[in-house]
């Protein structure tokens, strides 16, 4: 049996989990158990090749027996849920989150790190409905109420900068101008994270987890106005760029491939940003920055060399 402490990472081939795995490997301090839907998939095999410190394990997080086997003997577990895996069945995310916490508590896992966000419904007084935020906050409430002795540390990743390489990918005008388009007022505040920074945050948490039990750690590199996104992009890349405010009709047209419920969720999320920011009006979004350096949008552009393509 390895003398290194075992850290189990849910979603080890994804954005958050993959970042955690890569960062923990660099420390050389841990044995890592990476959970995935199929340990024989190309993605899982590529993660397994990173180090002899990592074992990739097939785990269905809907099944208690799978989780019990996967979490067994762990010193710490990094857990998250994915609303977007089945957005037409939002109850599944709740079931998965509760089950992971139930199993972690039953196995007396020493430290449970759970990825969450804010309760938009509660903080907006019921005026804004963003299920993919609120559900994760309800899971935090569940853990605190049902498992008060489970030593849980909550992490709250901000808006992924990497979303501009995917769903929110900018388009290019015929003259070469890059257009960042969102249904956001130009002065609206965005809280951004290079999601790769999830890894360094978890690494720092595990250096002294006891002092952070029960706390919310915001994984956020900076606070930036929407209008400044294009300015920084142009400053770094030299490519002309604009930030464009979309109407609701334009945004729904651009996301017409999504179910209406998903469009509603995402459009309301931007309304939340405009009125409350990402974390609400009261939360200190710098808690992660106080643990370790995190990239700003400018840092990320320089690191990746991304040109808006």
């Amino acid at each position: 049996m390895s003398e290194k402490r075992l850290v189990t990472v849910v979603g080890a081939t994804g954005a958050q989990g993959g970042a955690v795995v890569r960062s923990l490997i660099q420390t050389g301090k841990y044995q890592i158990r990476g959970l995935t839907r199929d340990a024989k998939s190309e993605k899982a095999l590529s993660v397994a090749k990173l180090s002899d410190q990592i074992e990739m394990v097939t785990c269905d997080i809907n099944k208690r027996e799978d989780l019990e086997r996967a979490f067994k003997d762990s010193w710490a577990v990094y857990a998250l849920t994915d609303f977007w895996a089945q957005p037409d069945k939002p109850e599944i995310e709740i079931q998965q989150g509760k089950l992971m916490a139930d199993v972690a508590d039953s196995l007396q896992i020493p430290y449970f790190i759970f990825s969450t966000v804010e309760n938009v419904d509660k903080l907006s007084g019921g005026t804004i409905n963003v299920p993919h935020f609120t559900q994760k906050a309800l899971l935090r409430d569940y853990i605190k109420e049902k498992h008060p002795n489970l030593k849980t540390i909550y992490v709250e990743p901000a808006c992924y900068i990497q979303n501009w390489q995917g769903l929110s990918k900018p388009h290019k005008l015929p003259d070469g101008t890059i257009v960042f388009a969102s249904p956001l007022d130009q002065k609206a505040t965005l809280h951004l994270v290079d999601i790769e920074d999830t890894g360094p945050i978890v690494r720092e948490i595990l250096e002294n987890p006891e002092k952070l039990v029960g706390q919310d750690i915001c994984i956020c590199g900076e606070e930036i106005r929407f209008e400044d996104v294009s300015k920084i992009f142009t400053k770094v890349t030299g490519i002309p760029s604009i930030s464009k405010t979309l109407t609701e009709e334009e945004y729904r047209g651009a996301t017409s491939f999504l179910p209406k419920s998903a469009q509603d969720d995402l459009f309301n999320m931007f309304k939340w940003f405009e009125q409350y920011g990402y974390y609400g009006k009261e939360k200190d979004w710098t808690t992660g920055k106080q643990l370790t350096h995190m990239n700003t949008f400018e840092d990320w552009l320089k690191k990746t060399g991304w040109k808006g393509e």
Side-chain angles (χ1 to χ4, degrees), residues 64 67-68 71 79 94-114 138-154 213-215:
R64 187 180 190 100
L67 285 169
E68 288 175 340
F71 284 9
I94 294 288
Q95 293 165 6
Q96 290 172 343
K98 287 182 175 180
L99 187 56
M100 283 189 280
D102 292 348
V103 170
D105 195 28
S106 70
L107 293 176
Q108 296 184 310
I109 300 299
Y111 297 103
F112 188 63
I113 304 173
F114 187 74
L138 291 174
L139 286 169
R140 174 173 49 198
D141 294 344
Y142 174 84
I143 295 168
K144 289 185 174 184
E145 180 183 347
K146 298 294 184 182
H147 302 298
N149 295 321
L150 180 61
K151 291 184 176 180
T152 307
I153 300 152
Y154 304 93
V213 169
Q215 294 186 34

Side-chain angles (χ1 to χ4, degrees), residues 24-93:
L24 294 185
I25 285 172
Q26 291 171 6
T27 70
K29 293 181 177 182
Y30 307 103
Q31 191 63 32
I32 302 159
R33 183 181 290 154
L35 307 188
T36 182
R37 283 177 289 225
D38 180 7
K40 296 191 185 319
S41 71
E42 189 174 329
K43 271 188 173 183
L45 291 173
S46 68
V47 174
K49 288 176 184 175
L50 292 175
S51 170
D52 59 6
Q53 298 169 46
I54 181 164
E55 169 197 17
M56 293 298 289
V57 173
T58 299
C59 178
D60 183 346
I61 61 172
N62 298 289
K63 296 180 178 178
R64 187 180 190 100
E65 59 271 24
D66 271 27
L67 285 169
E68 288 175 340
R69 175 175 46 83
F71 284 9
K72 189 178 182 214
D73 300 323
S74 299
W75 175 68
V77 170
Y78 183 83
L80 76 164
T81 56
D82 183 6
F83 174 90
W84 298 109
Q86 291 182 276
D88 57 330
K89 297 179 179 178
E91 68 279 2
I92 290 177
E93 179 184 30

Side-chain angles (χ1 to χ4, degrees), residues 67-304:
L67 285 169
E68 288 175 340
R69 175 175 46 83
F71 284 9
K72 189 178 182 214
D73 300 323
S74 299
W75 175 68
V77 170
Y78 183 83
L80 76 164
T81 56
D82 183 6
F83 174 90
W84 298 109
Q86 291 182 276
D88 57 330
K89 297 179 179 178
E91 68 279 2
I92 290 177
E93 179 184 30
I94 294 288
Q95 293 165 6
Q96 290 172 343
K98 287 182 175 180
L99 187 56
M100 283 189 280
D102 292 348
V103 170
D105 195 28
S106 70
L107 293 176
Q108 296 184 310
I109 300 299
Y111 297 103
F112 188 63
I113 304 173
F114 187 74
S115 181
T116 186
V117 276
E118 290 303 303
N119 190 326
V120 171
D121 184 65
K122 180 179 178 181
L123 293 176
S124 71
T127 62
I128 305 176
N129 183 32
V130 184
H132 84 274
F133 272 51
T134 296
Q135 291 202 164
K136 290 177 178 62
L138 291 174
L139 286 169
R140 174 173 49 198
D141 294 344
Y142 174 84
I143 295 168
K144 289 185 174 184
E145 180 183 347
K146 298 294 184 182
H147 302 298
N149 295 321
L150 180 61
K151 291 184 176 180
T152 307
I153 300 152
Y154 304 93
V155 294
E156 296 194 46
C159 270
Y160 296 15
I161 294 172
Q162 285 83 348
N163 285 343
W164 282 317
Q165 295 176 309
L167 181 63
S168 300
K169 188 174 180 179
H171 63 272
K172 185 186 287 189
L173 298 178
D175 67 359
T177 299
I178 297 293
V179 181
F180 291 88
S182 291
L184 269 176
D185 184 271
Q186 294 288 318
K187 303 291 184 187
T189 298
L190 287 171
H191 292 87
L192 300 180
V193 64
D194 172 1
I195 200 58
E196 192 65 23
D197 285 339
T198 307
I201 285 289
V202 172
R203 180 193 67 215
E204 292 303 315
I205 287 172
L206 293 179
E207 283 295 309
N208 191 353
E210 195 65 32
K211 72 175 184 179
L212 297 171
V213 169
Q215 294 186 34
D216 295 343
I217 309 299
C218 296
I219 311 180
C220 181
E222 73 174 329
E223 186 178 64
I224 182 176
R225 285 179 172 175
F226 180 45
E227 65 183 354
D228 292 329
V229 169
S230 54
K231 294 174 184 176
I232 289 171
F233 177 82
T234 298
K235 173 187 168 185
V236 174
T237 66
I239 300 169
S241 174
I242 59 171
S243 298
K244 180 183 178 183
T245 300
L246 298 177
T247 64
E248 180 173 355
E249 184 179 2
E250 288 171 332
Y251 182 71
R252 290 186 182 276
T255 56
S256 59
F257 58 92
L258 294 173
K260 184 179 182 300
S261 61
Q263 289 179 40
D264 292 345
D265 187 314
L266 290 170
F267 181 75
N268 289 338
M269 176 187 73
F270 288 108
K271 297 301 106 185
W272 164 252
F273 293 168
E274 282 187 344
Q275 295 178 42
Y276 294 90
Y278 189 94
Y279 294 105
K281 295 178 178 179
E282 303 300 325
K283 180 150 284 187
D284 177 6
W285 63 269
T286 70
T287 47
K289 287 167 68 76
Q290 294 166 30
L291 290 181
T292 188
H293 168 79
M294 285 191 287
N295 289 320
T296 62
F297 181 44
E298 182 170 344
D299 293 334
W300 181 83
L301 287 169
K302 291 174 179 176
K303 179 183 85 167
T304 62

